[in-house]
Amino acid sequence: MDLEQARAKATELSQLIRKYDKAYYLDAEPIISDREYDLLFAELQSIEKLYPEIIVSDSPTQRVGGEPLKAFEQVTHNVPMLSLQNSYTKEDIFDFDARIKKSLENEAFAYSAELKIDGVALSLRYIDGKLQIGATRGDGYAGDNITSNVKTIKSIPLSVPAVTYDGKELKNFEVRGEVFMHVSDFQQINKARIESDEKPYANPRNTTAGTLKLLDSALVAKRKLNFIAYYLKADDFEIESQHDIVDLLSKLGFKINSGVKYCNDINDLINFIDEWESKRHDLPFQTDGIVIKIDSTRQQNYLGSVARSPRWAIAYKYESENAATILRDITVQVGRTGAVTPVAELEPVLLAGSTVSRATLHNMDFISERDIRIGDTVLIEKGGEVIPKVIKPVIELRTPEIIPYVFPKYCPCDLKTLLVRFEGEANYYCEHPDCPWQIRRKIEHFASRDALDIAGLGEKVVDTLVNEGLLKDIADIYELHKHYEILKNLEKWGNKSAQNLLEAIENSKSQPFERVLFAIGIKFIGRGGAKLLVRHFKNIDAIINATRDELTAVHEIGTKMADSIIKFFSIEMNKTIVERLRNYGLTFEFDEVEIVLTDAPLSGKTFVFTGEMESMTRSEAALKVESLGGTETKSVSKVTSYVVVGAKPGSKFDKAKKLGVHILNEEDFLNLIKG
Ligand SMILES: [Zn+2]
């Protein structure tokens, strides 16, 4: 075979493979067996190996993933990727309709409605009909260039056929849509993780987002990601309407939403919303609402956008999902402060796309107020949180032998100490300083991201090291280097893991005092409290020796916190641990340079966060606010400056609306902290 014959053969094979890909991934109707497909693919690969010069960028072999990257480059979006305003009631939709009517001065208009997939937004740039760049949404203005990962998603065409609109060919354009994972594929991944003793992922969306950010595209290729397109903008001309866009996307070879409808008026729209409320659960992927757009592009442009959201579109979110299942048992877990909290052990049930077998029960008061009993059928709910919660028992289904729940008297640890409950507190406590369960969680807390941020020292590793007898308290972390031989020979470890851990431990010594104070785990002293104490007392000795009055003299340090500090340092073992940590070189003095200037941009502003943000976790956001001089508080009041609302917000959002507190969406917030 000479070069030209090879090129011709490769082209022929590529065309066949593309056809079979389309049948499999877009039409869900495979026309050849997997084995036949694999043979064709292998043949193409071997030809390309012989003649690398014939490889074209849209060859099917280019989907399998290339060399791992060191980091992603940034891509600026030509048109910012705005976020939609969310609505939770039909009333909001009627208000939206009324606003549009008014703005358009009663000119006729139509809606385009589509199911909102609970996935990750993606922007695709095609030049001359070929995929050039795939980018994440990022902050809306610029995202990560994840092209090598995007190429592995088989429902994204690497090149498109010739399609014309109004006599003009679509060659240079941007497509946007949602990347997502089927629930069944997600469950497969989690099954494998659980079997290999890894922590299961929270939900398909987070797993998709995490997958897209992998630097090794070969790993991405193994995860079965899908893409559905909903946006198309040609570089050289305007496409008149959303329904034309959907039509063109389909012709270009993109998968489009099965739930998409042109609605003549609001009644059509409401019917569509109702129609999908339950039907959406039959889909193989998760959806959380309906996206409503004004169909005409001209009218969209006329309406424009405001505060980082378009005026011509809105998202309607369905209520969060419930499921009923049997409460098989209530177990308890011991936290780092000795708090013993109940956990619901459930008959596994599918809820919002993932299998749920455990749920939180908060504390004994929560259980007794709702009279939740072992054996009951209970309703569980998944809000914005990762861990679902039990809402209430279904009393009608309760049988006579089901008796009220009694909280255990003793700690589940080997020491079996009598649990105590203090007045005014919801939790029971194991007060024994040697409680092995507390020690594990203390070490885990010490190493956590908000504390000393020792990567690699998570729940599983801590459990292993405690079981191996290498860690008996937090100070032992700094002796781990003496056990290098044991570490590297642990199951699934090796030189690299052991070295990485020791390096992270060494680095943690330079963390500032306020983190160290938070990390040592004094009950009721969170990051905020630690910071206040550090600023006021400057060093650990002053804190250890402070009287109750001196402590409460610090603004925002109450008697509960003061008593807890005094109690903590009255325990000889705690003082010894602090002394050891100091000797290992950890920081126990305040570095004045850290003082935030009073003219910092957010000085005097208070923030409350509710719901999940896409670009950062809540604690990262809080740190950012603090670094700019603001403070994060947990509850909303009239004096709250801003409530930042992410996806699936909680009751704080309603309260903020009621009190008229300034509400920011994620984009507003990012803008604010950008300055
Ligand atoms: Zn215990």
Side-chain angles (χ1 to χ4, degrees):
M1 187 157 46
D2 66 19
L3 182 69
E4 281 322 302
Q5 284 168 325
R7 199 190 302 277
K9 185 72 189 163
T11 308
E12 187 199 328
L13 286 168
S14 298
Q15 275 165 358
L16 274 175
I17 292 170
R18 268 186 220 118
K19 185 172 114 190
Y20 298 140
D21 275 347
K22 181 177 178 295
Y24 189 94
Y25 293 100
L26 262 62
D27 310 333
E29 279 171 7
I31 38 186
I32 57 167
S33 72
D34 288 356
R35 196 182 139 66
E36 286 168 300
Y37 180 92
D38 290 344
L39 286 174
L40 287 175
F41 200 89
E43 190 180 352
L44 177 60
Q45 271 179 322
S46 65
I47 294 173
E48 286 183 345
K49 205 174 166 192
L50 275 173
Y51 298 98
E53 59 269 50
I54 65 169
I55 301 177
V56 287
S57 70
D58 60 342
S59 164
T61 58
Q62 300 307 297
R63 287 190 187 277
V64 291
E67 288 290 297
L69 302 173
K70 293 232 157 37
F72 295 118
E73 285 169 24
Q74 288 281 296
V75 184
T76 306
H77 300 303
N78 287 353
V79 179
M81 293 178 83
L82 301 178
S83 63
L84 294 184
Q85 192 195 331
N86 284 328
S87 62
Y88 301 89
T89 63
K90 300 230 171 97
E91 224 169 43
D92 291 341
I93 303 297
F94 280 101
D95 287 349
F96 173 73
D97 186 64
R99 278 202 303 278
I100 299 291
K101 279 196 178 111
K102 196 168 163 233
S103 303
L104 292 178
E105 291 163 357
N106 291 324
E107 185 187 47
F109 66 94
Y111 289 111
S112 173
E114 69 199 54
L115 267 175
K116 189 173 175 301
I117 298 165
D118 199 9
V120 179
L122 183 69
S123 156
L124 303 170
R125 171 137 283 283
Y126 286 79
I127 305 287
D128 210 19
K130 290 203 168 62
L131 175 65
Q132 289 291 314
I133 296 172
T136 62
R137 182 170 172 278
D139 64 1
Y141 293 108
D144 288 329
N145 183 339
I146 55 165
T147 311
S148 50
N149 289 346
V150 165
K151 280 187 170 177
T152 68
I153 302 172
K154 299 211 176 167
S155 42
I156 294 177
L158 299 180
S159 57
V160 296
V163 172
T164 55
Y165 180 71
D166 223 5
K168 286 157 289 203
E169 194 180 334
L170 271 159
K171 285 187 140 183
N172 303 319
F173 54 88
E174 186 193 352
V175 168
R176 289 178 190 169
E178 209 79 358
V179 183
F180 59 97
M181 191 178 274
H182 281 181
V183 172
S184 55
D185 292 328
F186 168 74
Q187 285 170 330
Q188 281 295 329
I189 292 173
N190 264 356
K191 204 174 148 225
R193 285 183 71 85
I194 291 166
E195 277 161 10
S196 63
D197 222 20
E198 288 169 292
K199 212 170 157 184
Y201 292 125
N203 57 50
R205 185 171 59 83
N206 288 358
T207 312
T208 302
T211 303
L212 288 175
K213 295 266 184 153
L214 291 172
L215 292 167
D216 186 351
S217 53
L219 293 176
V220 181
K222 288 185 191 154
R223 301 269 178 88
K224 294 169 184 159
L225 297 179
N226 297 277
F227 180 77
I228 278 183
Y230 50 68
Y231 169 106
L232 171 65
K233 190 166 172 51
D235 285 4
D236 316 314
F237 52 90
E238 188 113 275
I239 301 163
E240 269 172 38
S241 66
Q242 181 63 25
H243 71 268
D244 280 352
I245 284 175
V246 172
D247 200 40
L248 288 170
L249 284 169
S250 176
K251 285 183 181 152
L252 288 167
F254 290 92
K255 197 166 179 164
I256 51 162
N257 214 313
S258 57
V260 55
K261 191 167 188 268
Y262 177 84
C263 299
N264 276 311
D265 57 26
I266 183 143
N267 294 324
D268 261 10
L269 192 58
I270 297 293
N271 287 340
F272 182 76
I273 290 174
D274 289 341
E275 181 193 332
W276 280 98
E277 170 120 43
S278 63
K279 215 165 88 178
R280 68 199 180 99
H281 296 304
D282 301 335
L283 295 169
F285 48 85
Q286 289 188 306
T287 55
D288 61 354
I290 300 286
V291 175
I292 300 156
K293 297 172 184 165
I294 302 300
D295 190 58
S296 148
T297 310
R298 180 183 57 79
Q299 287 174 333
Q300 286 180 6
N301 292 340
Y302 176 78
L303 291 163
S305 49
V306 61
R308 310 272 287 122
S309 292
R311 274 207 194 91
W312 46 268
I314 194 167
Y316 173 82
K317 296 273 194 122
Y318 288 117
E319 268 183 52
S320 66
E321 293 166 69
N322 294 338
T325 188
I326 309 267
L327 177 61
R328 285 205 295 213
D329 197 6
I330 296 176
T331 54
V332 292
Q333 57 188 25
V334 186
R336 65 182 169 89
T337 58
V340 179
T341 48
V343 178
E345 305 289 343
L346 306 163
E347 187 69 41
V349 63
L350 193 68
L351 174 63
S354 45
T355 306
V356 173
S357 56
R358 304 185 94 197
T360 176
L361 284 166
H362 303 286
N363 53 51
M364 187 57 208
D365 288 346
F366 182 88
I367 296 173
S368 35
E369 275 160 20
R370 287 159 188 79
D371 190 20
I372 296 167
R373 305 178 182 190
I374 295 170
D376 269 340
T377 298
V378 291
L379 283 184
I380 55 170
E381 181 191 70
K382 206 165 191 179
E385 299 78 23
V386 170
I387 307 163
K389 57 187 175 198
V390 174
I391 318 170
K392 60 171 187 185
V394 183
I395 304 287
E396 303 82 69
L397 296 177
R398 182 177 286 165
T399 48
E401 76 278 7
I402 295 177
I403 52 166
Y405 175 70
V406 184
F407 205 81
K409 271 201 166 103
Y410 303 99
C411 182
C413 72
D414 292 343
L415 300 172
K416 305 224 182 320
T417 46
L418 191 66
L419 298 179
V420 289
R421 187 174 176 180
F422 303 103
E423 221 188 292
E425 276 192 43
N427 288 324
Y428 282 90
Y429 285 89
C430 166
E431 286 242 287
H432 205 295
D434 297 330
C435 172
W437 289 106
Q438 282 178 56
I439 288 169
R440 278 159 216 245
R441 300 293 80 87
K442 270 190 181 124
I443 297 170
E444 204 186 316
H445 164 75
F446 185 85
S448 68
R449 214 159 143 187
D450 288 343
L452 288 201
D453 194 15
I454 304 175
L457 204 51
E459 190 178 342
K460 294 269 178 213
V461 175
V462 169
D463 283 348
T464 307
L465 298 181
V466 170
N467 289 339
E468 292 287 327
L470 297 180
L471 293 179
K472 290 192 189 66
D473 56 50
I474 52 177
D476 285 347
I477 292 171
Y478 296 93
E479 305 246 337
L480 277 178
H481 62 93
K482 294 179 184 164
H483 309 293
Y484 182 72
E485 287 302 312
I486 305 179
L487 284 180
K488 73 170 194 194
N489 289 320
L490 288 175
E491 209 186 316
K492 290 182 197 146
W493 278 56
N495 277 324
K496 194 145 179 255
S497 306
Q499 267 165 15
N500 286 347
L501 178 62
L502 293 179
E503 204 170 294
I505 291 171
E506 192 57 32
N507 290 339
S508 73
K509 291 182 182 172
S510 56
Q511 293 283 11
F513 181 26
E514 60 188 53
R515 275 181 177 249
V516 179
L517 187 63
F518 170 60
I520 59 176
I522 305 170
K523 194 167 144 188
F524 303 130
I525 304 299
R527 286 182 316 147
K531 180 173 277 186
L532 292 169
L533 290 165
V534 162
R535 300 263 150 95
H536 186 88
F537 291 101
K538 316 283 189 213
N539 65 61
I540 191 75
D541 296 316
I543 297 173
I544 293 175
N545 296 323
T547 63
R548 191 174 194 247
D549 286 346
E550 283 165 350
L551 287 166
T552 52
V554 182
H555 182 59
E556 283 188 51
I557 301 285
T559 51
K560 203 163 98 171
M561 285 159 97
D563 289 342
S564 173
I565 294 164
I566 291 168
K567 189 170 171 186
F568 183 88
F569 289 113
S570 72
I571 297 169
E572 212 45 50
M573 190 181 74
N574 289 336
K575 273 197 280 198
T576 312
I577 286 176
V578 165
E579 216 33 60
R580 282 172 65 202
L581 291 175
R582 193 176 356 209
N583 290 335
Y584 294 131
L586 274 78
T587 314
F588 282 97
E589 264 174 39
F590 179 45
D591 183 353
E592 297 283 347
V593 182
E594 290 168 32
I595 296 179
V596 177
L597 299 170
T598 44
D599 62 353
L602 301 182
S603 173
K605 303 281 188 223
T606 53
F607 288 75
V608 173
F609 295 95
T610 177
E612 282 173 64
M613 287 201 271
E614 271 178 29
S615 54
M616 57 179 90
T617 65
R618 209 180 283 189
S619 40
E620 283 166 345
L623 282 175
K624 188 74 202 168
V625 162
E626 280 169 22
S627 73
L628 296 171
T631 32
E632 184 217 358
T633 57
K634 294 290 172 206
S635 57
V636 182
S637 74
K638 274 185 183 161
V639 297
T640 305
S641 314
Y642 300 103
V643 172
V644 182
V645 179
K648 297 174 184 155
S651 59
K652 290 172 190 172
F653 181 40
D654 301 320
K655 194 162 176 203
K657 281 195 284 193
K658 208 183 281 170
L659 293 174
V661 175
H662 198 126
I663 293 168
L664 302 177
N665 63 22
E666 183 170 351
E667 279 53 55
D668 301 333
F669 173 67
L670 291 172
N671 269 351
L672 188 72
I673 60 177
K674 218 188 270 170

